[in-house]
Amino acid sequence: KAGVTQTPRYLIKTRGQQVTLSCSPISGHRSVSWYQQTPGQGLQFLFEYFSETQRNKGNFPGRFSGRQFSNSRSEMNVSTLELGDSALYLCASSLGTNYNEQFFGPGTRLTVL
Amino acid sequence: QKEVEQNSGPLSVPEGAIASLNCTYSDRGSQSFFWYRQYSGKSPELIMFIYSNGDKEDGRFTAQLNKASQYVSLLIRDSQPSDSATYLCAVNSNSGYALNFGKGTSLLVTP
């Protein structure tokens, strides 16, 4: 069974630009969660989508947004990039039940210059 | 107040010993608890999950949960150098759909 895939794996942008990251979950999984990982803050929850609906959102500014498509693939977008947005962005896939075992993709390393 | 707390380490144990990793959480309503292993430069890998009070064993790994004390731990028996990694404790949020992570404990297993 294929795992979670994320593209691109690495990205370099400059301040003020916007970026779109993509995630394809494990086949059969309908929930996709996004996390930001930085050395200082650790892993922080961004948002979660299930059947194209956002069910939960973390404490991030509105510059961070996402969506999910009918095939469960998800994208997240960050507009007006800031230096502090440099991080590893991780996507996690799950069945979406209450017990919520989440499986992570390899991540996208975003560097903002 | 941080919702999930872990000792950052590093925790150093000799090869063959038992490594004990601990985690406390603040939300009494949490129902599911997870341990992830993250090697440097890699993404987190799920190694254990536990929902009920008590112990759960899987190979060399044992997860222990005490909801009354809001405490979850991971024991690694017969530790190997390949177990050297950061171990992340994660707890489901009130909504059940988001995971709150601790900052991780760095484990070093020395030959």
Side-chain angles (χ1 to χ4, degrees), chain A residues 78-101:
Chain A
V78 187
S79 62
T80 319
L81 285 166
E82 301 178 359
L83 295 179
D85 296 333
S86 294
L88 179 66
Y89 289 89
L90 292 158
C91 156
S93 158
S94 79
L95 290 171
T97 62
N98 286 338
Y99 287 139
N100 207 32
E101 296 156 42

PDB file of all heavy atoms in Angstrom, chain A residues 78-101:
ATOM      1  N   VAL A  78       0.077  29.142   1.564  1.00  0.00           N
ATOM      2  CA  VAL A  78       0.529  30.189   2.474  1.00  0.00           C
ATOM      3  C   VAL A  78       0.753  31.432   1.621  1.00  0.00           C
ATOM      4  O   VAL A  78       1.536  31.403   0.662  1.00  0.00           O
ATOM      5  CB  VAL A  78       1.828  29.823   3.212  1.00  0.00           C
ATOM      6  CG1 VAL A  78       2.148  30.877   4.271  1.00  0.00           C
ATOM      7  CG2 VAL A  78       1.732  28.447   3.835  1.00  0.00           C
ATOM      8  N   SER A  79       0.069  32.501   1.945  1.00  0.00           N
ATOM      9  CA  SER A  79       0.207  33.739   1.186  1.00  0.00           C
ATOM     10  C   SER A  79       1.105  34.708   1.944  1.00  0.00           C
ATOM     11  O   SER A  79       1.327  34.569   3.154  1.00  0.00           O
ATOM     12  CB  SER A  79      -1.161  34.365   0.947  1.00  0.00           C
ATOM     13  OG  SER A  79      -1.761  34.701   2.187  1.00  0.00           O
ATOM     14  N   THR A  80       1.632  35.660   1.230  1.00  0.00           N
ATOM     15  CA  THR A  80       2.474  36.709   1.816  1.00  0.00           C
ATOM     16  C   THR A  80       3.489  36.109   2.800  1.00  0.00           C
ATOM     17  O   THR A  80       3.473  36.358   4.002  1.00  0.00           O
ATOM     18  CB  THR A  80       1.610  37.773   2.545  1.00  0.00           C
ATOM     19  OG1 THR A  80       0.447  38.069   1.777  1.00  0.00           O
ATOM     20  CG2 THR A  80       2.401  39.059   2.738  1.00  0.00           C
ATOM     21  N   LEU A  81       4.343  35.304   2.272  1.00  0.00           N
ATOM     22  CA  LEU A  81       5.298  34.574   3.097  1.00  0.00           C
ATOM     23  C   LEU A  81       6.158  35.484   3.955  1.00  0.00           C
ATOM     24  O   LEU A  81       6.582  36.570   3.530  1.00  0.00           O
ATOM     25  CB  LEU A  81       6.196  33.711   2.211  1.00  0.00           C
ATOM     26  CG  LEU A  81       5.559  32.442   1.647  1.00  0.00           C
ATOM     27  CD1 LEU A  81       6.422  31.871   0.524  1.00  0.00           C
ATOM     28  CD2 LEU A  81       5.353  31.417   2.748  1.00  0.00           C
ATOM     29  N   GLU A  82       6.410  35.009   5.168  1.00  0.00           N
ATOM     30  CA  GLU A  82       7.297  35.692   6.109  1.00  0.00           C
ATOM     31  C   GLU A  82       8.475  34.765   6.418  1.00  0.00           C
ATOM     32  O   GLU A  82       8.388  33.551   6.241  1.00  0.00           O
ATOM     33  CB  GLU A  82       6.539  36.027   7.390  1.00  0.00           C
ATOM     34  CG  GLU A  82       5.333  36.912   7.178  1.00  0.00           C
ATOM     35  CD  GLU A  82       4.565  37.181   8.456  1.00  0.00           C
ATOM     36  OE1 GLU A  82       4.964  36.651   9.513  1.00  0.00           O
ATOM     37  OE2 GLU A  82       3.568  37.924   8.389  1.00  0.00           O
ATOM     38  N   LEU A  83       9.564  35.384   6.902  1.00  0.00           N
ATOM     39  CA  LEU A  83      10.744  34.585   7.228  1.00  0.00           C
ATOM     40  C   LEU A  83      10.402  33.473   8.216  1.00  0.00           C
ATOM     41  O   LEU A  83      10.914  32.355   8.123  1.00  0.00           O
ATOM     42  CB  LEU A  83      11.848  35.474   7.800  1.00  0.00           C
ATOM     43  CG  LEU A  83      12.446  36.519   6.862  1.00  0.00           C
ATOM     44  CD1 LEU A  83      13.502  37.341   7.593  1.00  0.00           C
ATOM     45  CD2 LEU A  83      13.051  35.874   5.624  1.00  0.00           C
ATOM     46  N   GLY A  84       9.515  33.780   9.143  1.00  0.00           N
ATOM     47  CA  GLY A  84       9.137  32.818  10.177  1.00  0.00           C
ATOM     48  C   GLY A  84       8.329  31.637   9.673  1.00  0.00           C
ATOM     49  O   GLY A  84       8.063  30.700  10.424  1.00  0.00           O
ATOM     50  N   ASP A  85       7.942  31.680   8.405  1.00  0.00           N
ATOM     51  CA  ASP A  85       7.189  30.550   7.841  1.00  0.00           C
ATOM     52  C   ASP A  85       8.119  29.424   7.406  1.00  0.00           C
ATOM     53  O   ASP A  85       7.647  28.361   7.005  1.00  0.00           O
ATOM     54  CB  ASP A  85       6.354  31.012   6.640  1.00  0.00           C
ATOM     55  CG  ASP A  85       5.292  32.029   7.034  1.00  0.00           C
ATOM     56  OD1 ASP A  85       4.840  32.002   8.203  1.00  0.00           O
ATOM     57  OD2 ASP A  85       4.904  32.840   6.167  1.00  0.00           O
ATOM     58  N   SER A  86       9.419  29.679   7.458  1.00  0.00           N
ATOM     59  CA  SER A  86      10.384  28.624   7.118  1.00  0.00           C
ATOM     60  C   SER A  86      10.215  27.466   8.096  1.00  0.00           C
ATOM     61  O   SER A  86      10.301  27.644   9.320  1.00  0.00           O
ATOM     62  CB  SER A  86      11.811  29.150   7.208  1.00  0.00           C
ATOM     63  OG  SER A  86      12.042  30.122   6.228  1.00  0.00           O
ATOM     64  N   ALA A  87       9.937  26.301   7.567  1.00  0.00           N
ATOM     65  CA  ALA A  87       9.613  25.159   8.425  1.00  0.00           C
ATOM     66  C   ALA A  87       9.478  23.906   7.575  1.00  0.00           C
ATOM     67  O   ALA A  87       9.515  23.969   6.344  1.00  0.00           O
ATOM     68  CB  ALA A  87       8.295  25.407   9.165  1.00  0.00           C
ATOM     69  N   LEU A  88       9.309  22.798   8.262  1.00  0.00           N
ATOM     70  CA  LEU A  88       8.933  21.547   7.609  1.00  0.00           C
ATOM     71  C   LEU A  88       7.420  21.428   7.716  1.00  0.00           C
ATOM     72  O   LEU A  88       6.871  21.467   8.818  1.00  0.00           O
ATOM     73  CB  LEU A  88       9.611  20.364   8.303  1.00  0.00           C
ATOM     74  CG  LEU A  88       9.299  18.975   7.738  1.00  0.00           C
ATOM     75  CD1 LEU A  88       9.860  18.832   6.317  1.00  0.00           C
ATOM     76  CD2 LEU A  88       9.880  17.884   8.644  1.00  0.00           C
ATOM     77  N   TYR A  89       6.761  21.320   6.591  1.00  0.00           N
ATOM     78  CA  TYR A  89       5.305  21.189   6.581  1.00  0.00           C
ATOM     79  C   TYR A  89       4.961  19.723   6.329  1.00  0.00           C
ATOM     80  O   TYR A  89       5.329  19.139   5.310  1.00  0.00           O
ATOM     81  CB  TYR A  89       4.688  22.111   5.538  1.00  0.00           C
ATOM     82  CG  TYR A  89       4.794  23.551   5.972  1.00  0.00           C
ATOM     83  CD1 TYR A  89       5.922  24.311   5.652  1.00  0.00           C
ATOM     84  CD2 TYR A  89       3.801  24.138   6.761  1.00  0.00           C
ATOM     85  CE1 TYR A  89       6.047  25.622   6.095  1.00  0.00           C
ATOM     86  CE2 TYR A  89       3.923  25.447   7.201  1.00  0.00           C
ATOM     87  CZ  TYR A  89       5.050  26.179   6.863  1.00  0.00           C
ATOM     88  OH  TYR A  89       5.178  27.466   7.320  1.00  0.00           O
ATOM     89  N   LEU A  90       4.237  19.181   7.284  1.00  0.00           N
ATOM     90  CA  LEU A  90       3.921  17.757   7.262  1.00  0.00           C
ATOM     91  C   LEU A  90       2.433  17.544   7.063  1.00  0.00           C
ATOM     92  O   LEU A  90       1.605  18.223   7.669  1.00  0.00           O
ATOM     93  CB  LEU A  90       4.352  17.103   8.580  1.00  0.00           C
ATOM     94  CG  LEU A  90       5.861  17.031   8.811  1.00  0.00           C
ATOM     95  CD1 LEU A  90       6.172  16.892  10.289  1.00  0.00           C
ATOM     96  CD2 LEU A  90       6.454  15.864   8.036  1.00  0.00           C
ATOM     97  N   CYS A  91       2.149  16.576   6.251  1.00  0.00           N
ATOM     98  CA  CYS A  91       0.774  16.176   6.007  1.00  0.00           C
ATOM     99  C   CYS A  91       0.599  14.799   6.648  1.00  0.00           C
ATOM    100  O   CYS A  91       1.499  13.969   6.590  1.00  0.00           O
ATOM    101  CB  CYS A  91       0.562  16.134   4.499  1.00  0.00           C
ATOM    102  SG  CYS A  91      -0.744  15.085   3.911  1.00  0.00           S
ATOM    103  N   ALA A  92      -0.542  14.591   7.280  1.00  0.00           N
ATOM    104  CA  ALA A  92      -0.816  13.292   7.900  1.00  0.00           C
ATOM    105  C   ALA A  92      -2.161  12.782   7.408  1.00  0.00           C
ATOM    106  O   ALA A  92      -3.122  13.542   7.287  1.00  0.00           O
ATOM    107  CB  ALA A  92      -0.822  13.401   9.416  1.00  0.00           C
ATOM    108  N   SER A  93      -2.203  11.506   7.182  1.00  0.00           N
ATOM    109  CA  SER A  93      -3.381  10.858   6.619  1.00  0.00           C
ATOM    110  C   SER A  93      -3.996   9.925   7.657  1.00  0.00           C
ATOM    111  O   SER A  93      -3.287   9.269   8.408  1.00  0.00           O
ATOM    112  CB  SER A  93      -2.902  10.078   5.381  1.00  0.00           C
ATOM    113  OG  SER A  93      -3.760   9.038   5.006  1.00  0.00           O
ATOM    114  N   SER A  94      -5.328   9.884   7.696  1.00  0.00           N
ATOM    115  CA  SER A  94      -5.982   8.941   8.602  1.00  0.00           C
ATOM    116  C   SER A  94      -7.355   8.582   8.053  1.00  0.00           C
ATOM    117  O   SER A  94      -7.851   9.215   7.119  1.00  0.00           O
ATOM    118  CB  SER A  94      -6.102   9.529  10.007  1.00  0.00           C
ATOM    119  OG  SER A  94      -7.186  10.426  10.084  1.00  0.00           O
ATOM    120  N   LEU A  95      -7.963   7.586   8.679  1.00  0.00           N
ATOM    121  CA  LEU A  95      -9.318   7.208   8.277  1.00  0.00           C
ATOM    122  C   LEU A  95     -10.324   8.279   8.679  1.00  0.00           C
ATOM    123  O   LEU A  95     -11.401   8.372   8.118  1.00  0.00           O
ATOM    124  CB  LEU A  95      -9.698   5.865   8.921  1.00  0.00           C
ATOM    125  CG  LEU A  95      -8.972   4.638   8.385  1.00  0.00           C
ATOM    126  CD1 LEU A  95      -9.270   3.425   9.257  1.00  0.00           C
ATOM    127  CD2 LEU A  95      -9.382   4.358   6.942  1.00  0.00           C
ATOM    128  N   GLY A  96      -9.963   9.068   9.700  1.00  0.00           N
ATOM    129  CA  GLY A  96     -10.844  10.142  10.121  1.00  0.00           C
ATOM    130  C   GLY A  96     -11.776   9.771  11.252  1.00  0.00           C
ATOM    131  O   GLY A  96     -12.678  10.517  11.587  1.00  0.00           O
ATOM    132  N   THR A  97     -11.544   8.604  11.866  1.00  0.00           N
ATOM    133  CA  THR A  97     -12.385   8.212  13.001  1.00  0.00           C
ATOM    134  C   THR A  97     -11.881   8.892  14.268  1.00  0.00           C
ATOM    135  O   THR A  97     -10.836   9.516  14.283  1.00  0.00           O
ATOM    136  CB  THR A  97     -12.341   6.691  13.201  1.00  0.00           C
ATOM    137  OG1 THR A  97     -10.977   6.335  13.512  1.00  0.00           O
ATOM    138  CG2 THR A  97     -12.761   5.977  11.944  1.00  0.00           C
ATOM    139  N   ASN A  98     -12.626   8.727  15.354  1.00  0.00           N
ATOM    140  CA  ASN A  98     -12.261   9.391  16.606  1.00  0.00           C
ATOM    141  C   ASN A  98     -10.886   8.971  17.105  1.00  0.00           C
ATOM    142  O   ASN A  98     -10.185   9.753  17.722  1.00  0.00           O
ATOM    143  CB  ASN A  98     -13.293   9.094  17.691  1.00  0.00           C
ATOM    144  CG  ASN A  98     -14.568   9.882  17.445  1.00  0.00           C
ATOM    145  OD1 ASN A  98     -14.543  10.894  16.768  1.00  0.00           O
ATOM    146  ND2 ASN A  98     -15.667   9.413  17.988  1.00  0.00           N
ATOM    147  N   TYR A  99     -10.485   7.725  16.877  1.00  0.00           N
ATOM    148  CA  TYR A  99      -9.211   7.264  17.408  1.00  0.00           C
ATOM    149  C   TYR A  99      -8.032   7.756  16.589  1.00  0.00           C
ATOM    150  O   TYR A  99      -6.916   7.731  17.063  1.00  0.00           O
ATOM    151  CB  TYR A  99      -9.189   5.746  17.520  1.00  0.00           C
ATOM    152  CG  TYR A  99     -10.044   5.241  18.650  1.00  0.00           C
ATOM    153  CD1 TYR A  99     -10.833   4.110  18.494  1.00  0.00           C
ATOM    154  CD2 TYR A  99     -10.053   5.899  19.871  1.00  0.00           C
ATOM    155  CE1 TYR A  99     -11.608   3.647  19.540  1.00  0.00           C
ATOM    156  CE2 TYR A  99     -10.826   5.442  20.917  1.00  0.00           C
ATOM    157  CZ  TYR A  99     -11.608   4.314  20.751  1.00  0.00           C
ATOM    158  OH  TYR A  99     -12.380   3.854  21.782  1.00  0.00           O
ATOM    159  N   ASN A 100      -8.278   8.114  15.348  1.00  0.00           N
ATOM    160  CA  ASN A 100      -7.387   9.037  14.666  1.00  0.00           C
ATOM    161  C   ASN A 100      -5.915   8.670  14.593  1.00  0.00           C
ATOM    162  O   ASN A 100      -5.067   9.490  14.909  1.00  0.00           O
ATOM    163  CB  ASN A 100      -7.524  10.402  15.370  1.00  0.00           C
ATOM    164  CG  ASN A 100      -7.218  11.548  14.470  1.00  0.00           C
ATOM    165  OD1 ASN A 100      -7.458  11.491  13.282  1.00  0.00           O
ATOM    166  ND2 ASN A 100      -6.671  12.618  15.027  1.00  0.00           N
ATOM    167  N   GLU A 101      -5.581   7.445  14.188  1.00  0.00           N
ATOM    168  CA  GLU A 101      -4.174   7.146  13.971  1.00  0.00           C
ATOM    169  C   GLU A 101      -3.739   7.867  12.709  1.00  0.00           C
ATOM    170  O   GLU A 101      -4.304   7.669  11.632  1.00  0.00           O
ATOM    171  CB  GLU A 101      -3.973   5.641  13.792  1.00  0.00           C
ATOM    172  CG  GLU A 101      -4.340   4.836  15.027  1.00  0.00           C
ATOM    173  CD  GLU A 101      -4.695   3.416  14.680  1.00  0.00           C
ATOM    174  OE1 GLU A 101      -4.000   2.825  13.832  1.00  0.00           O
ATOM    175  OE2 GLU A 101      -5.680   2.903  15.249  1.00  0.00           O
TER     176      GLU A 101
END
